[in-house]
Amino acid sequence: MEWCYNEEVAFLRSKILALLREAGDSYLSGEEMAKRLGVSRTAVWKHIQELRRDGYDIVSHSRSGYSLQSAPDTLRPEEIKNGLHTKRIGTEIRFYPTIDSTNLEAKRLAQQGAPDGLVVVAEEQGKGRGRLERSFFSPAGKGIWFSVILRPDFLPQDAPKCTLLSAVAVAKAAEDFGMKVGIKWPNDVLAGGKKLVGILTEMSAEMERIHYVIIGTGINVNIKAEEFPEELRDKAASFSEIKGEKIPRAAFFRAVLEHMDALYDAILREGFAEVFSEWRRYSITLGQTVRIIDARGGGQGAFVGKAVDIDEDGALLVDTAAGRRRVLAGDVSIRPQQD
């Protein structure tokens, strides 16, 4: 971890950008901005210079003031919060240009008392990881690498279901952007058989009480096929490949956070029924003949059956020749059965 974006700085910068966006094509003077924000003209000028260094195209006129022409493709808080409408998730955002792992940082912040819904996001991860300790390719400026801290009031045994929440939120965001994806149980978001998203849910809890849940999510947004490591090219893809054009990351991230927030709100009010219903809608596993492999047992205990549903715990129900079997998330890998 190199550097965390200061919340006070982020707040003032977001206000400056909001004023410039509100002005549209018109110019806004430094004096007027300083007056509205309750700071000095020098402070406004300094923040304008920093925004320019960060890629914002802000033109100035000696008598008229400043005008925002364009914004960079960045995941800084001022861009994420521009138009974000959520109750909990994303109301507070911690941004890092580069970090070892957003999950590790989220856990550190959670242990210090970070609130429900805080988001940790980075432009690049050095040690991103997914389920079963697999590493996750997280290059700079090409994806959305983030973790959300939740402090729900449900029981610890319900926490693994939050993994499905994140997968559904991303699938719904993709749909908003005109892209069709599917979810392979439990949480692999796929298109054309290739993985677009990695999700890792972790928890700190006592027997009857959750201290916090961390949902780490890595989304391949604008990674070109040739940019993936050779060993991933036949397994991974990005949303820009599906869309056939570059995806605006901040706008896509807002959609993900808004869907996560709405689903989380439904969970707190009514349980996981809505998440499960939406998961079934996107599922590419249900109705398929699958091969279940014990991922931690080297293939021992593998069996074949038809995936028919998920139960109230999010476990996969598989009908086999010997009867129905219940498969828990995190215990298996799923491969389509070959004819």
Side-chain angles (χ1 to χ4, degrees), residues 248-317:
R249 290 187 302 150
F252 192 81
F253 193 22
R254 280 194 296 274
V256 172
L257 293 178
E258 287 174 358
H259 285 300
M260 287 187 77
D261 188 72
L263 290 167
Y264 183 48
D265 189 60
I267 289 168
L268 296 178
R269 287 184 288 104
E270 304 165 0
F272 283 83
E274 183 176 340
V275 170
F276 287 174
S277 176
E278 289 295 282
W279 184 92
R280 291 183 181 101
R281 184 164 73 89
Y282 292 105
S283 173
I284 57 173
T285 301
L286 299 185
Q288 300 297 313
T289 298
V290 295
R291 181 175 177 82
I292 308 298
I293 306 167
D294 185 344
R296 295 174 298 187
Q300 299 299 313
F303 65 91
V304 174
K306 184 177 181 179
V308 293
D309 202 357
I310 53 175
D311 67 13
E312 61 184 10
D313 296 319
L316 184 68
L317 302 178

Side-chain angles (χ1 to χ4, degrees), residues 17 20-21 24-26 56-59 66-71:
L17 288 170
L20 291 173
R21 287 185 169 114
D25 295 332
S26 302
Y56 288 88
D57 183 7
I58 301 173
V59 297
Y66 302 99
S67 175
L68 176 64
Q69 304 297 300
S70 66

Side-chain angles (χ1 to χ4, degrees), residues 38-50:
V39 297
S40 68
R41 289 180 61 183
T42 301
V44 169
W45 179 83
K46 287 181 177 178
H47 282 291
I48 293 289
Q49 302 313 305
E50 289 296 324

Side-chain angles (χ1 to χ4, degrees), residues 70-322:
S70 66
D73 180 34
T74 178
L75 297 178
R76 292 177 181 272
E78 54 266 28
E79 285 304 305
I80 304 306
K81 291 186 176 183
N82 176 35
L84 179 68
H85 303 289
T86 58
K87 290 183 180 179
R88 297 178 181 86
I89 297 178
T91 55
E92 187 172 339
I93 298 174
R94 298 293 180 91
F95 168 81
Y96 302 83
T98 184
I99 200 172
D100 50 0
S101 161
T102 60
N103 260 33
L104 290 175
E105 179 64 4
K107 280 190 280 188
R108 186 185 71 80
L109 293 170
Q111 290 162 4
Q112 294 177 355
D116 187 37
L118 184 141
V119 172
V120 177
V121 63
E123 289 286 0
E124 178 183 31
Q125 284 188 123
K127 297 179 181 178
R129 60 192 177 93
R131 291 177 59 239
L132 307 175
E133 296 300 320
R134 298 186 181 109
S135 62
F136 194 88
F137 180 56
S138 313
K142 300 287 186 176
I144 301 170
W145 327 117
F146 75 104
S147 297
V148 178
I149 298 171
L150 302 181
R151 296 189 184 274
D153 57 7
F154 50 71
L155 295 173
Q157 55 262 38
D158 289 331
K161 303 175 191 178
C162 291
T163 299
L164 278 64
L165 179 159
S166 187
V168 170
V170 176
K172 290 172 76 68
E175 202 168 55
D176 291 344
F177 279 72
M179 296 175 284
K180 184 175 178 58
V181 299
I183 303 175
K184 186 184 79 170
W185 186 87
N187 61 6
D188 284 346
V189 180
L190 306 177
K194 293 186 176 183
K195 188 171 180 177
L196 299 157
V197 181
I199 302 169
L200 176 65
T201 300
E202 300 180 281
M203 172 181 66
S204 172
E206 299 172 12
M207 286 293 292
E208 299 293 327
R209 176 173 172 265
I210 291 175
H211 296 303
Y212 58 81
V213 175
I214 307 293
I215 307 177
T217 307
I219 307 173
N220 300 333
V221 183
N222 291 320
I223 306 175
K224 297 178 181 178
E226 63 271 17
E227 292 175 330
F228 283 103
E230 189 171 349
E231 66 271 17
L232 295 178
R233 289 176 190 171
D234 62 341
K235 302 174 184 177
S238 70
F239 280 103
S240 62
E241 292 181 87
I242 300 172
K243 185 74 170 176
E245 62 187 47
K246 189 174 180 180
I247 308 293
R249 290 187 302 150
F252 192 81
F253 193 22
R254 280 194 296 274
V256 172
L257 293 178
E258 287 174 358
H259 285 300
M260 287 187 77
D261 188 72
L263 290 167
Y264 183 48
D265 189 60
I267 289 168
L268 296 178
R269 287 184 288 104
E270 304 165 0
F272 283 83
E274 183 176 340
V275 170
F276 287 174
S277 176
E278 289 295 282
W279 184 92
R280 291 183 181 101
R281 184 164 73 89
Y282 292 105
S283 173
I284 57 173
T285 301
L286 299 185
Q288 300 297 313
T289 298
V290 295
R291 181 175 177 82
I292 308 298
I293 306 167
D294 185 344
R296 295 174 298 187
Q300 299 299 313
F303 65 91
V304 174
K306 184 177 181 179
V308 293
D309 202 357
I310 53 175
D311 67 13
E312 61 184 10
D313 296 319
L316 184 68
L317 302 178
V318 181
D319 283 347
T320 73

